[in-house]
Amino acid sequence: MRANFLGGSRMSFEQFELYSLWVGVGGLILFMIFIVWNLAKESKAGRFGTFILFIALGLGLLGFLIKTVLVELMGIG
């Protein structure tokens, strides 16, 4: 009998998909934040310009997060 590295419990495919989704989307969000910060730094935008970049480019991310929360709260998905 094979020993399982998770302490005897097996992870279902659905659990693996859920964890992978959260890690993947979280990683992409962090990468987007890094890209916007790097863009502001390379363009020498200053504090106000960096703030505007994060607001303007972060609105798409904010919309995605709000949509996800609303879908879960309304039970549509």
Side-chain angles (χ1 to χ4, degrees), residues 5 11 16 18 22 24 29-30 44 48 55-57 59 67:
F5 69 93
M11 181 183 295
F16 176 74
L18 181 67
W22 280 103
I29 289 171
L30 290 175
K44 299 176 183 151
F48 184 70
I55 294 297
L57 298 176
L59 283 177
K67 181 197 79 101

Side-chain angles (χ1 to χ4, degrees), residues 11-65:
M11 181 183 295
S12 70
F13 189 68
E14 290 81 18
Q15 286 176 322
F16 176 74
E17 283 182 337
L18 181 67
Y19 295 147
S20 298
L21 177 71
W22 280 103
V23 169
V25 171
L28 287 174
I29 289 171
L30 290 175
F31 189 57
M32 274 183 59
I33 290 171
F34 169 74
I35 289 171
V36 172
W37 174 77
N38 195 29
L39 178 67
K41 185 178 77 167
E42 299 242 345
S43 67
K44 299 176 183 151
R47 281 189 185 174
F48 184 70
T50 302
F51 177 73
I52 295 299
L53 278 172
F54 271 102
I55 294 297
L57 298 176
L59 283 177
L61 175 63
L62 184 64
F64 174 76
L65 293 175

